[in-house]
Amino acid sequence: MTATTVKTRSSREVYRDVLVELMPDDERLVCLDSDTGLFSGVDFGEAGDRYLNLGIAEHTLMGAAAGLAKQGRVPVVNTMAAFASTRALEAVKVDIALNNLPVRIAATHSGVSGGHLGPTHHSLEDLAVMRNLPNMTVVVPADAATTDELFRQALTLPGPVYFRLGRNATPDLPEGPPVRLGQARTLREGGDVTLAACGPYPVLAALDAADLLERDGIAASVIHVHTVKPLDTDTLAAAAGTTGVVVTVEEHWRAGGFGAAVAESLSEILPVRVHRVAMPDAFVPVSGGQRYLLERGGITPQAVAARARTALGRPRRDLR
């Protein structure tokens, strides 16, 4: 995958810095950590007593957050996505979502961004899990700037939020429309096919795929969907109504994730085909860097462009 620009801070570092900035001025904010090390050496200033490290006890972490939220606090739970969406799921469902409490779950190492830790720490099921919980808002920033904006906006919501974050720095996205929670951003206009992407490298893959398709005379719209729930069906439907073909791209297993959400939503209002580019339905059997594992799983500009060509019935031209 080609990097569009130089790398910047990781989304988890951006979220951390915004939280640390806001905590001294908002006594409702409480940070609950699971001994991740992300806050090591951080100076919370006057808010220091509102940083609580409960250790590697994710289920307890969610229960404590629910109790604090019930008492008027706005807890931010910091843990890895693999554990937030599986190990602690019962507490998320029963304690937090059922009671519609304003707990922010900052889930780091999402997708295969913690790929060096192996399949136990890959999180390729979390979107399917979290978007199925009533009351839960699901947000997936795609670079440093969107992380900053979306986290600040997410703090104002009345109910729970699942905030999906990566481990490593990823390239910045190109300039686009303002970042608004719940509103997808159209980064590129095109009338032949709609590429809808969720997450840092999937969005970059979609943008690069649009360049590849342009060489074949195919004009692609690229839509950055950072809010998976509630899904901006209006923007997606408007683009799909023009092109008739949608290709989704995500760092998640194919079943139940972002692409499934798009297919479910559009199938109720449009006669449109949705083709999904996602991780294969198998555990990733190796450890490795995020980009290596994504390429191994077929999340590449070339794969996205090929899926679009197939969907349109327009094989690649010989450009020699």
Side-chain angles (χ1 to χ4, degrees), residues 32 60-70 73 75-77 96 101 103:
L32 301 179
T60 301
L61 203 69
M62 300 299 177
L68 286 166
K70 193 70 173 176
R73 301 285 189 170
V76 179
V77 176
I96 296 172
L101 294 172
V103 175

Side-chain angles (χ1 to χ4, degrees), residues 28-29 65-66 68-70 72-77 92-93 95-106 130 133-139 150-163 181 227 229-230:
R28 299 173 306 154
L29 288 172
L68 286 166
K70 193 70 173 176
R73 301 285 189 170
V74 179
V76 179
V77 176
V92 174
K93 172 187 172 183
D95 296 344
I96 296 172
L98 175 62
N99 295 291
N100 197 21
L101 294 172
V103 175
R104 283 50 176 138
I105 302 170
M130 290 297 173
L133 293 178
N135 300 320
M136 185 68 70
T137 295
V138 179
V139 183
L150 290 169
F151 184 67
R152 292 175 191 272
Q153 294 173 31
L155 288 174
T156 69
L157 296 178
V161 180
Y162 182 75
F163 208 68
L181 197 69
T227 308
K229 183 182 180 181

